[in-house]
Amino acid sequence: MLFNCLTGLNQKVGNFPGVTVDKKTGSASLSIGEAEIIDLPGSYSLYPRRLDEWVSYKVLLNQDSDIKADVVVAVADASNLKRNLLFCTQLIDLKIPVVVVLTMLDIASKKGIKIDITELERELGVPVIAVNPRKQKGITQLKKAIEQTAAGLYKAPVIDFIDNKAFAAGAINDLKKELPELSDYAAIHYLINHESFGLKAQIQETIESIEQEHKFNPTKTQAEEILQRYSRIKHIMQQTVSEPDPLQKSLFTEKLDNILLHRRWGYLILLAVLFLLFQSVFLLASYPMDWIDSAFASAGGWLSSVLPENGWTDLLVNGILAGLSGIVMFVPQIAILFGLITILEDSGYMARISFLTDRLM
């Protein structure tokens, strides 16, 4: 959605990895000129597992021959911030220019989640912009942040989010002698995945020898890194995010369950809900059904009066028009029924109905 909003295109979008499986390219007008916007496949971590994640990974590690990103815009779901911050902090430690975009703030607000964006920006050390692409909110601020980051006004934090060098200090130092442009965190990824990079044979052999000399363990390094990141992210969440007390929510849910799932009252409540559901369907649908019936009756009467009496007129009025009337008249009932069922599902009562009727079914 954000990509479409910036470029004016209409690509298929979704709020989960796997929707974009390859690079999508568009352009956006900034005050400094035309910018090429490239939408990469989504990911929750910088350790790729699927083919689409490898597409993003190689771009971010400067191993894509076609793309050299000037600015990386990391889109994070505000309603699931802890999980998304892992990827954002990994990008920051690569020492590439990053702008973090918070979306789904309306959903976070419904869940009672409040985010101190100014404090989050200070903790991460990169620009953090709140955006609602559906309502075109925050787009101007995002474009300005991209321009300023591209111009070098925002730089990558000097200090790593976590102490990456501590995971394999000797191996990182030796690798950076060969490739001094790498950050400590990028060096770790070169040690782990260099076989998948398009590096010269001599550099590949050098990295292999460094791994063997220092007995570099990629699995242990990855596990320790993730644990340390989540530890610091937890601290940041405590400082910047206010969430409703899960204990209160749990107690309220338990009180509801005691009533709605009661061995006697639960079934009476279920019957009452179903009775009200179907009564509401017939009551509410009666008005639009009467309007539809009268509209088709008027149309049939008018056609009968203006068309000659023959077989074709009879087919049109008593066949096609009457048949359509019989079908369309039931649409309000179906629409209202599905609408009320959706309300039951969203409220959580549909799951309780399944629990109550499980033994009977």
Side-chain angles (χ1 to χ4, degrees), residues 36-67:
E36 185 181 17
I37 308 293
I38 300 170
D39 183 26
L40 297 174
S43 181
Y44 287 120
S45 169
L46 206 58
Y47 292 102
R49 290 174 294 177
R50 304 188 310 267
L51 289 175
D52 57 320
E53 290 179 335
W54 274 101
V55 173
S56 302
Y57 183 71
K58 288 189 175 182
V59 172
L60 296 169
L61 269 294
N62 286 322
Q63 292 303 312
D64 190 305
S65 58
D66 299 325
I67 301 174

Side-chain angles (χ1 to χ4, degrees), residues 156-357:
V158 177
I159 301 174
D160 285 355
F161 186 78
I162 59 173
D163 188 3
N164 293 293
K165 184 169 281 190
F167 300 130
I172 291 171
N173 286 331
D174 286 352
L175 179 55
K176 288 180 71 175
K177 290 176 184 176
E178 299 294 328
L179 301 170
E181 71 278 7
L182 296 180
S183 67
D184 290 343
Y185 188 56
I188 289 174
H189 281 273
Y190 270 67
L191 289 166
I192 295 173
N193 290 318
H194 64 91
E195 295 93 344
S196 302
F197 295 165
L199 302 174
K200 294 179 180 178
Q202 184 181 354
I203 297 176
Q204 293 279 19
E205 291 173 5
T206 302
I207 297 175
E208 282 287 350
S209 64
I210 290 172
E211 282 189 77
Q212 293 173 7
E213 180 183 349
H214 295 279
K215 297 180 180 178
F216 178 76
N217 188 327
T219 305
K220 180 183 177 183
T221 301
Q222 180 180 342
E224 289 178 351
E225 179 216 330
I226 299 299
L227 287 173
Q228 286 196 29
R229 285 191 187 279
Y230 272 129
S231 177
R232 174 133 191 246
I233 288 169
K234 182 181 178 181
H235 172 74
I236 290 176
M237 294 281 290
Q238 291 171 347
Q239 299 293 321
T240 61
V241 180
S242 172
E243 297 182 279
D245 186 356
L247 181 60
Q248 286 185 344
K249 186 176 180 181
S250 176
L251 290 172
F252 177 71
T253 303
E254 286 179 8
K255 288 177 181 178
L256 273 180
D257 288 343
N258 288 337
I259 299 170
L260 298 176
L261 300 179
H262 192 273
R263 62 176 59 188
R264 286 187 293 272
W265 294 111
Y267 291 100
L268 291 174
I269 293 170
L270 172 60
L271 291 174
V273 168
L274 293 178
F275 175 78
L276 289 172
L277 174 71
F278 288 106
Q279 284 297 108
S280 299
V281 168
F282 290 113
L283 180 65
L284 295 173
S286 63
Y287 299 103
M289 287 176 73
D290 291 342
W291 299 336
I292 292 168
D293 187 34
S294 61
F296 274 96
S298 299
W302 179 77
L303 287 172
S304 297
S305 64
V306 297
L307 295 176
E309 292 187 11
N310 54 40
W312 290 107
T313 300
D314 189 48
L315 174 65
L316 178 61
V317 175
N318 298 320
I320 297 173
L321 203 64
L324 283 173
S325 172
I327 295 170
V328 175
M329 275 185 63
F330 284 100
V331 170
Q333 283 189 338
I334 295 168
I336 292 170
L337 176 62
F338 274 85
L340 293 173
I341 288 174
T342 301
I343 292 172
L344 289 180
E345 286 180 347
D346 289 347
S347 67
Y349 189 61
M350 191 64 77
R352 292 176 170 90
I353 290 175
S354 300
F355 182 82
L356 276 172
T357 58

Side-chain angles (χ1 to χ4, degrees), residues 7-28:
T7 62
L9 298 177
N10 190 26
Q11 297 287 354
K12 183 181 178 182
V13 295
N15 63 339
F16 50 89
V19 178
T20 305
V21 295
D22 203 352
K23 295 167 284 193
K24 309 287 186 183
T25 305
S27 60

